[in-house]
Amino acid sequence: MPAKTAAKPKKSASLAVEDVSRKPQQGRSKASLERMLAAARELMLERGNEDFTLQDVSQRGNVSIGSIYLRFESKDNLVRAVIADALDAISAEETTMLAALTPQCTSLGDFVPRYVESYAEVLRINAPLLRLSMQRAASDPLVSGPGKAHAMRAASQGTEAMMAFRDEIAGDDPERKALSSYHIIFATLARQLSLGSTGESVHDYDWRDLKRELGRMCLAYLRAA
Amino acid sequence: MPAKTAAKPKKSASLAVEDVSRKPQQGRSKASLERMLAAARELMLERGNEDFTLQDVSQRGNVSIGSIYLRFESKDNLVRAVIADALDAISAEETTMLAALTPQCTSLGDFVPRYVESYAEVLRINAPLLRLSMQRAASDPLVSGPGKAHAMRAASQGTEAMMAFRDEIAGDDPERKALSSYHIIFATLARQLSLGSTGESVHDYDWRDLKRELGRMCLAYLRAA
Amino acid sequence: MPAKTAAKPKKSASLAVEDVSRKPQQGRSKASLERMLAAARELMLERGNEDFTLQDVSQRGNVSIGSIYLRFESKDNLVRAVIADALDAISAEETTMLAALTPQCTSLGDFVPRYVESYAEVLRINAPLLRLSMQRAASDPLVSGPGKAHAMRAASQGTEAMMAFRDEIAGDDPERKALSSYHIIFATLARQLSLGSTGESVHDYDWRDLKRELGRMCLAYLRAA
Amino acid sequence: MPAKTAAKPKKSASLAVEDVSRKPQQGRSKASLERMLAAARELMLERGNEDFTLQDVSQRGNVSIGSIYLRFESKDNLVRAVIADALDAISAEETTMLAALTPQCTSLGDFVPRYVESYAEVLRINAPLLRLSMQRAASDPLVSGPGKAHAMRAASQGTEAMMAFRDEIAGDDPERKALSSYHIIFATLARQLSLGSTGESVHDYDWRDLKRELGRMCLAYLRAA
DNA sequence: TATGAATGAGTATTCATTCAT
DNA sequence: GATGAATGAATACTCATTCAT
């Protein structure tokens, strides 16, 4: 973690794989890059963000340690690349999910509960990697920056989707209400999935109930004068 | 050599300071216990849950390393004790806050926004230590257990407070609505304070706004048929 | 934290160098393996089986500490490897000695005193390392096992050599007499050389005398009806 | 062990309890001295000469650590005292055994086998503590000195006992033959009991057989011209 | 005398990173 | 480009000994 190694001049705050890895690769090199990323991802999921050795990655991914350093400046950057990949994949899923859901809905009362449900599913499926991202972001600015970017992208997508039903939203600032709703939905789902915190089901409060009530709350709020 | 390794009796999964530390101390011993806990807490806040050395604690707290081991079985247990202390203190603050707030409020419309505001303040003030607790809980069962207990205590206190205005809550299951409200309030505040995740203000979304809208949302929900 | 402690696969109870060291090495790796074994052996002889530091080995053998752990799972295994080497070398010397002595002897009366003398010499020369082996064996099963094996090999070789003159051995169980003689010879020589006990010449009883009398005693015994 | 702590000027080479302990004690002090010696002895037998803590002694013996340092200059001296006590007790047993055996025997052929048998029994019973003595003596001159003294006392007692039958001993130097016999008997018994070396029965060679053959060998030797 | 809390030097082991081949 | 053996700094934990009470 950066806290320990204050040594070398670090790269800029960017995080996409091509930013963190040394060179865009092709062919068999690309395959080996994939293998080391996959091995690292597995290990991170099994043991936690940093509780694995490059030796481990080397063995599991069938890649030499030298190869890893050929692609990544440091172990930290390898971890960041895994997280960057994951965040990208999740963003894509969110987009897909919204693209599929929106056209099916005809009213706010139709949309909101289904949105909560669908978003919860996307987050649930990606919870392990999301958890890693958020844990790491807590202590690594090079991850918290891009993580924030991903969060804002998600927020604007979600808000936009609700704004498709803007005439059903009461009050004079529907935009704000939509954005607030998004934040509250995300926060609630994230916490329930324990992103960023405890490993297991933290709360005994029933997951199914909460999703339903969360939808109701948002609807009540968006419709209320 | 095998002859040397005699298995140590491990402690139970409990976490209160007196459970994690070796002996209840008094007088100057107590003072030294305080110093090592304070030093550890400072270091944990500065660098993260584990990115400090017992050497560091020894120097900053003016305690010998041996003394630390006189009170704590391991560095891990020292960390746990710091967290246990913090959770206890926060619980106390929550209780105090509610005890002060409740009698001042005459209606749900009066209570909910002020509750959100006050709770937000309690969490904001304790955010750094809460963050440490939640991060640690993610990988240490000896912390996640008690952390969960603290969360449930808080949930029941919050719900109970709202139930003081139960006749203003519409619908046939006011209890569920109150509990859902608590969860959503906590999740939103926690996320905004980045408990369990990023170090700094994660979201550019305005803090003041969100608190207000959160209150409104809950009110709308609780009142809605 | 539990997440970190993954149990290491332990090796079997075997002891030969290639069993205790991690990999068969060649070339310059072999040279560095030799240097660390030599350094460890010197230090063990100077200070005792365990009263040396890996730091010491690193400096004296001009090997990095990491390299030691590349070859040996632990300091204990390094010590075991030194002992295994020594036991192998001694076994070889015993075999050589017997192979040289036996053909020169024409009778039991010729053989026994010369055997005592020659065996005493082999043991004397290897006394320091033998002492280390036996001391270590007292508390380390991974050494006592192979040590026992070495002892039995030696016993059978010695017995066999005496049995070359079986027709000079009186009584109806020459095998037993030969084996008993071997045990008594070894025990006496070992004790005199203080294998397994005191550092210096323990006994003031004259070494030269005892060897002679030991030979006479065995002869008298083997020949007696 | 002395090898490590070259620090303080040590006492003379003497070892009797009153030499190693600080002061001759009486009354309840004596009782506490006994308790710490007993506790130390137990721990040494359970774990080995040095693999115990003064903390352990303090708890098991119900003596404060300060008390131990009131009686003994160091942990090493406590260990030495335990060994000194043991050697004294064994010497006494040897004397008793000889005093009981000698008058019962009328000839060398009567005496020798019974002596081997009885001596083996004395050694067998005291094997654990004798083992500790010899192990410690290997690296601690303050023990090896007195250990040697004990050995010589035993040698002269044993020799003397055999010399009671001097007219049955052939040859012109019965004294030497008796002394040689003693050494060989002791060495063989000691090795078989693994004094000074491996923990368990080292040899598969049958204990009962060896004792008988050892007696026969000595007899044959003593009687042979 | 007696106590036992405090001290802190000493050491095995891990693992990210380098670089000779 | 690839390799993986070598490096060595970094750190938790133990326990004999002291000394204030």
Side-chain angles (χ1 to χ4, degrees):
Chain A
M1 259 177 303
K4 287 181 183 174
T5 57
K8 288 196 176 179
K10 291 289 173 186
K11 310 210 157 185
S12 78
S14 171
L15 189 67
V17 213
E18 58 275 14
D19 294 319
V20 172
S21 76
R22 290 204 210 244
K23 300 181 187 179
Q25 298 299 328
Q26 321 126 326
R28 59 186 172 288
S29 289
K30 180 114 174 216
S32 122
L33 177 60
E34 294 301 348
R35 282 206 310 285
M36 66 184 77
L37 283 168
R41 182 170 50 243
E42 288 173 18
L43 288 161
M44 286 165 64
L45 288 171
E46 287 170 19
R47 308 190 197 168
N49 259 317
E50 281 138 20
D51 290 343
F52 67 95
T53 328
L54 288 190
Q55 200 61 241
D56 295 334
V57 176
S58 161
Q59 277 161 26
R60 188 177 297 209
N62 223 259
V63 194
S64 75
I65 291 188
S67 290
I68 301 176
Y69 275 87
L70 233 42
R71 308 297 173 212
F72 299 97
E73 197 184 34
S74 64
K75 184 191 179 190
D76 277 340
N77 271 3
L78 170 60
V79 168
R80 287 176 190 127
V82 169
I83 291 177
D85 272 359
L87 289 180
D88 283 351
I90 294 167
S91 269
E93 282 191 49
E94 286 172 357
T95 305
T96 305
M97 178 271 285
L98 276 175
L101 179 65
T102 315
Q104 295 173 16
C105 301
T106 56
S107 71
L108 197 62
D110 189 21
F111 174 77
V112 167
R114 294 175 70 182
Y115 173 61
V116 168
E117 188 64 39
S118 306
Y119 200 17
E121 197 55 16
V122 170
L123 294 183
R124 191 184 60 75
I125 287 172
N126 294 286
L129 275 168
L130 268 177
R131 194 153 37 232
L132 289 179
S133 301
M134 299 179 78
Q135 275 168 16
R136 174 85 194 194
S139 62
D140 181 354
L142 290 194
V143 165
S144 79
K148 208 178 294 189
H150 166 257
M152 288 176 63
R153 202 164 50 236
S156 88
Q157 278 187 327
T159 307
E160 193 185 346
M162 282 183 257
M163 288 301 284
F165 307 94
R166 117 177 40 194
D167 32 327
E168 293 185 61
I169 303 178
D172 52 2
D173 196 350
E175 189 99 30
R176 151 153 308 155
K177 279 184 145 180
L179 185 51
S180 297
S181 294
Y182 170 80
H183 277 307
I184 289 166
I185 289 170
F186 178 80
T188 305
L189 296 179
R191 171 135 194 89
Q192 204 66 13
L193 290 167
S194 298
L195 306 181
S197 61
T198 337
E200 334 268 317
S201 52
V202 201
H203 315 291
D204 294 338
Y205 191 84
D206 185 71
W207 185 211
R208 196 163 298 274
D209 280 358
L210 191 75
K211 281 188 293 187
R212 190 190 57 234
E213 300 303 312
L214 180 57
R216 289 178 181 168
M217 186 182 292
C218 284
L219 260 188
Y221 165 66
L222 291 168
R223 286 165 169 171
Chain B
M1 258 178 305
K4 289 186 181 173
T5 57
K8 273 190 191 174
K10 289 290 170 189
K11 313 225 157 180
S12 77
S14 169
L15 190 68
V17 213
E18 57 274 15
D19 294 319
V20 173
S21 76
R22 290 208 208 240
K23 300 179 188 177
Q25 298 299 327
Q26 322 128 328
R28 60 186 169 292
S29 288
K30 181 113 175 217
S32 118
L33 177 60
E34 294 301 349
R35 283 207 308 285
M36 66 184 78
L37 282 168
R41 185 170 46 241
E42 288 174 21
L43 288 161
M44 285 165 65
L45 289 170
E46 287 170 20
R47 307 188 198 171
N49 258 320
E50 281 139 19
D51 291 342
F52 65 96
T53 303
L54 287 189
Q55 207 54 251
D56 295 335
V57 177
S58 163
Q59 277 159 26
R60 187 177 296 211
N62 222 258
V63 195
S64 74
I65 290 188
S67 289
I68 301 176
Y69 277 90
L70 223 48
R71 311 295 172 211
F72 300 97
E73 201 183 33
S74 64
K75 185 190 177 188
D76 276 342
N77 269 6
L78 170 58
V79 168
R80 287 176 190 129
V82 169
I83 290 176
D85 272 359
L87 289 180
D88 283 351
I90 294 167
S91 268
E93 281 191 50
E94 287 172 358
T95 305
T96 306
M97 179 272 283
L98 276 175
L101 180 64
T102 314
Q104 294 173 19
C105 300
T106 56
S107 72
L108 196 63
D110 189 19
F111 174 77
V112 168
R114 294 175 70 183
Y115 172 61
V116 168
E117 187 65 40
S118 305
Y119 199 18
E121 195 58 16
V122 169
L123 294 182
R124 192 184 59 75
I125 288 172
N126 294 288
L129 276 168
L130 266 177
R131 194 153 35 233
L132 289 179
S133 301
M134 298 177 78
Q135 276 167 16
R136 174 86 194 194
S139 62
D140 180 355
L142 290 193
V143 166
S144 78
K148 210 176 292 189
H150 167 257
M152 288 177 62
R153 202 163 50 235
S156 89
Q157 279 187 329
T159 307
E160 191 184 349
M162 281 182 258
M163 288 301 283
F165 307 96
R166 120 178 36 196
D167 31 328
E168 294 184 60
I169 302 178
D172 52 2
D173 196 350
E175 190 100 29
R176 150 153 309 153
K177 280 184 144 181
L179 185 52
S180 297
S181 296
Y182 171 80
H183 277 307
I184 288 166
I185 290 170
F186 179 79
T188 306
L189 296 179
R191 170 131 196 92
Q192 204 65 14
L193 290 167
S194 299
L195 305 183
S197 64
T198 336
E200 333 270 316
S201 51
V202 200
H203 315 290
D204 293 340
Y205 190 84
D206 186 69
W207 182 214
R208 195 162 302 273
D209 279 358
L210 191 76
K211 282 186 294 187
R212 190 190 57 234
E213 300 304 312
L214 180 58
R216 287 180 182 166
M217 187 183 293
C218 285
L219 259 187
Y221 166 68
L222 292 167
R223 285 167 171 168
Chain C
M1 262 175 304
K4 288 186 182 174
T5 58
K8 273 191 192 172
K10 289 291 171 189
K11 312 224 157 180
S12 76
S14 171
L15 190 67
V17 213
E18 58 274 16
D19 294 319
V20 172
S21 76
R22 289 206 208 242
K23 299 179 189 179
Q25 299 297 329
Q26 323 127 327
R28 60 187 169 291
S29 288
K30 181 109 175 224
S32 119
L33 177 59
E34 294 301 349
R35 282 207 308 286
M36 65 184 80
L37 282 169
R41 185 170 46 241
E42 288 174 22
L43 288 161
M44 285 165 64
L45 288 171
E46 287 171 19
R47 309 188 196 170
N49 259 319
E50 280 139 20
D51 290 343
F52 66 95
T53 304
L54 288 189
Q55 208 54 251
D56 295 335
V57 177
S58 163
Q59 278 159 26
R60 187 177 297 210
N62 222 258
V63 194
S64 75
I65 290 188
S67 288
I68 301 176
Y69 277 90
L70 223 49
R71 312 293 173 214
F72 300 97
E73 200 183 33
S74 63
K75 184 190 177 188
D76 276 340
N77 270 5
L78 171 58
V79 168
R80 287 176 190 128
V82 168
I83 290 177
D85 272 359
L87 288 180
D88 283 351
I90 294 167
S91 268
E93 282 191 49
E94 287 172 357
T95 305
T96 305
M97 179 272 283
L98 276 174
L101 179 64
T102 314
Q104 294 174 16
C105 300
T106 57
S107 72
L108 197 63
D110 189 18
F111 174 77
V112 167
R114 294 175 71 182
Y115 173 61
V116 168
E117 188 65 39
S118 306
Y119 200 16
E121 196 56 16
V122 169
L123 294 182
R124 192 184 59 74
I125 288 172
N126 294 287
L129 275 167
L130 267 177
R131 192 151 39 230
L132 289 179
S133 300
M134 298 178 77
Q135 276 166 17
R136 175 85 193 193
S139 61
D140 181 354
L142 290 193
V143 166
S144 79
K148 209 177 293 190
H150 167 257
M152 287 175 64
R153 203 164 49 237
S156 89
Q157 278 187 329
T159 307
E160 192 185 345
M162 282 183 258
M163 288 301 283
F165 307 94
R166 119 180 35 197
D167 32 324
E168 294 185 59
I169 302 178
D172 51 3
D173 195 350
E175 190 99 28
R176 149 153 308 153
K177 280 185 144 180
L179 185 51
S180 298
S181 295
Y182 171 80
H183 277 307
I184 288 166
I185 289 171
F186 179 80
T188 306
L189 296 179
R191 171 135 195 89
Q192 203 65 14
L193 290 167
S194 300
L195 305 184
S197 62
T198 337
E200 332 270 316
S201 52
V202 201
H203 314 289
D204 294 339
Y205 190 84
D206 186 70
W207 184 212
R208 196 162 302 271
D209 279 358
L210 191 75
K211 282 186 294 187
R212 191 190 57 234
E213 300 303 312
L214 181 57
R216 289 180 180 168
M217 186 183 292
C218 284
L219 259 188
Y221 166 67
L222 291 168
R223 286 167 171 169
Chain D
M1 257 177 306
K4 286 181 183 174
T5 58
K8 286 195 177 177
K10 292 288 173 186
K11 309 210 158 183
S12 78
S14 170
L15 190 67
V17 212
E18 57 275 15
D19 294 320
V20 172
S21 76
R22 292 207 207 241
K23 300 181 187 179
Q25 298 298 328
Q26 319 126 329
R28 62 184 170 289
S29 290
K30 180 113 176 217
S32 122
L33 177 60
E34 294 301 349
R35 282 206 310 284
M36 65 184 78
L37 283 168
R41 184 171 47 243
E42 288 173 17
L43 288 162
M44 286 165 64
L45 288 171
E46 286 170 20
R47 308 189 197 168
N49 258 318
E50 280 138 22
D51 290 343
F52 66 95
T53 330
L54 288 189
Q55 200 61 242
D56 295 334
V57 177
S58 161
Q59 277 160 26
R60 188 177 297 211
N62 223 259
V63 194
S64 74
I65 291 188
S67 290
I68 300 175
Y69 275 88
L70 234 42
R71 309 295 172 213
F72 299 97
E73 197 185 35
S74 64
K75 184 191 177 187
D76 277 340
N77 271 4
L78 170 60
V79 168
R80 287 176 190 127
V82 169
I83 291 177
D85 272 0
L87 289 180
D88 283 351
I90 293 167
S91 269
E93 281 192 50
E94 287 171 358
T95 305
T96 306
M97 180 272 285
L98 277 175
L101 180 65
T102 315
Q104 294 174 19
C105 299
T106 56
S107 71
L108 196 61
D110 188 20
F111 174 77
V112 167
R114 295 175 70 184
Y115 172 61
V116 168
E117 189 64 41
S118 306
Y119 200 17
E121 197 57 17
V122 170
L123 294 183
R124 193 184 59 75
I125 287 172
N126 294 287
L129 276 167
L130 267 177
R131 195 153 35 233
L132 290 180
S133 301
M134 298 178 78
Q135 276 167 15
R136 174 87 196 192
S139 62
D140 181 354
L142 290 194
V143 166
S144 78
K148 208 178 295 189
H150 166 256
M152 288 176 63
R153 201 163 52 236
S156 88
Q157 279 188 328
T159 307
E160 191 183 347
M162 281 182 261
M163 288 300 285
F165 308 95
R166 121 179 34 198
D167 31 327
E168 293 185 60
I169 301 178
D172 52 2
D173 195 349
E175 189 101 29
R176 150 153 308 152
K177 279 185 145 180
L179 185 51
S180 298
S181 295
Y182 171 80
H183 278 307
I184 288 166
I185 289 170
F186 179 79
T188 304
L189 296 178
R191 170 133 196 90
Q192 203 66 12
L193 291 167
S194 299
L195 306 183
S197 62
T198 336
E200 335 268 317
S201 51
V202 200
H203 314 289
D204 294 339
Y205 191 84
D206 186 70
W207 183 212
R208 195 161 300 274
D209 280 357
L210 191 75
K211 282 187 294 187
R212 191 191 55 233
E213 300 303 312
L214 181 58
R216 289 180 181 167
M217 187 183 293
C218 284
L219 260 187
Y221 167 66
L222 291 168
R223 287 167 169 169

